[in-house]
Amino acid sequence: MTSLEGKVAIVTGGRRGIGRAIAEVFAQRGADIVLGDRQEDEAFAAADEIAAATGRTIQACFLDVAEHESAKSMVDCALSKFGHVDILVNNAGVTRDTLIMRMTEEDWDAVLDVNLKGAWNCARAVVRPMMKQRWGRIINISSVSGLAGQAGQTNYSASKAGLIGFTKALAREVASRGITVNAVAPGFVPTALTQDLPEDLKESMMKLIPLNRWGTPEEIAYAVAFFASEEASYITGQVLSVDGGMMMM
């Protein structure tokens, strides 16, 4: 099991689903955590629960990833509390699925602002302190929808594909300062973002998964924990699909 002892990690969208699982796995492996989320009360409740279960220090902070000043405030909160930030997981995400003929400009902007601009805001806020300490890990949560596209998700697929390009470009910028930047592309995982998918779509997607099951938030978290660890120190600019074999090349 990879150790994250002594590390401080920011996890955006960390109060539930994949973000919550990432925070829990990180804390189990010795990291202290800042949970950034718009739902402040729920984030504080999640932080208390994770702290009680792991004995680590878990700090919840209000975060609207679409706003640069909010992202900067969250990083300042982490630095004030812990003195350093070692890991950023850009996990916060939203969906507004519909066919392009029905999709509004607001639907498009809302998803791109959170999923793509949000990652840019948070990375921009955290890169400078990581560069000063000459060590850092940034892990962006993309999606198989960003690799293959998905009907009814032009906004979501574009945002997650954009994250992959962002990952590779940023990896080149910061590699000389000891910072790695990678992406994890989950397949179908039962979360709040997937619970409302039509049953016929779920059934058709299952046929594309060689392992013949959905993944779990914990299985995504284990991959993220690997990228955050010392064991992954020679890996940067990569995208790891954790999808039961959906995206085999």
Side-chain angles (χ1 to χ4, degrees):
M1 184 172 70
T2 56
S3 173
L4 298 175
E5 192 72 34
K7 302 301 184 186
V8 174
I10 292 173
V11 182
T12 71
R15 67 187 168 91
R16 64 181 184 180
I18 290 173
R20 170 71 178 258
I22 292 168
E24 289 175 345
V25 168
F26 277 19
Q28 290 162 7
R29 299 185 182 193
D32 295 319
I33 312 291
V34 174
L35 289 183
D37 204 286
R38 289 186 67 181
Q39 303 299 324
E40 199 168 7
D41 290 345
E42 293 181 31
F44 273 98
D48 289 344
E49 291 168 5
I50 298 170
T54 64
R56 304 308 306 179
T57 302
I58 316 294
Q59 176 68 52
C61 289
F62 172 80
L63 171 65
D64 181 353
V65 294
E67 297 294 334
H68 177 69
E69 286 304 315
S70 183
K72 184 178 182 301
S73 293
M74 177 193 62
V75 173
D76 289 344
C77 170
L79 292 172
S80 175
K81 178 73 175 179
F82 299 107
H84 59 105
V85 177
D86 306 292
I87 303 160
L88 167 65
V89 182
N90 281 314
N91 167 76
V94 297
T95 58
R96 290 198 181 183
D97 295 352
T98 190
L99 297 175
I100 193 168
M101 293 178 293
R102 298 172 185 162
M103 187 176 291
T104 65
E105 185 176 359
E106 182 187 3
D107 292 332
W108 174 270
D109 289 346
V111 172
L112 271 290
D113 280 351
V114 172
N115 298 2
L116 186 53
K117 184 183 177 184
W120 181 84
N121 281 335
C122 293
R124 185 167 182 257
V126 84
V127 156
R128 192 178 298 276
M130 284 185 176
M131 291 179 75
K132 287 181 179 179
Q133 67 193 22
R134 302 189 73 86
W135 199 98
R137 300 283 189 267
I138 298 173
I139 303 106
N140 299 315
I141 306 302
S142 182
S143 169
V144 293
S145 293
L147 293 169
Q150 178 63 44
Q153 289 191 327
T154 53
N155 49 5
Y156 185 78
S157 294
S159 70
K160 294 300 186 177
L163 265 182
I164 292 172
F166 172 72
T167 296
K168 293 177 181 292
L170 183 57
R172 292 185 183 277
E173 286 189 22
V174 298
S176 65
R177 297 301 184 97
I179 304 168
T180 66
V181 188
N182 292 289
V184 172
F188 283 86
V189 176
T191 67
L193 292 184
T194 59
Q195 66 183 2
D196 295 329
L197 291 175
E199 287 303 319
D200 59 341
L201 178 58
K202 293 179 183 180
E203 291 173 7
S204 65
M205 290 299 102
M206 185 66 74
K207 295 176 183 177
L208 301 176
I209 304 173
L211 286 181
N212 198 37
R213 67 173 177 85
W214 284 35
T216 68
E218 290 74 23
E219 288 171 320
I220 309 305
Y222 298 145
V224 176
F226 168 68
F227 274 144
S229 72
E230 288 286 1
E231 285 90 337
S233 60
Y234 200 55
I235 304 172
T236 196
Q238 301 304 306
V239 182
L240 176 61
S241 296
V242 185
D243 59 8
M246 278 185 71
M247 297 303 298
M248 281 190 208
M249 297 294 185

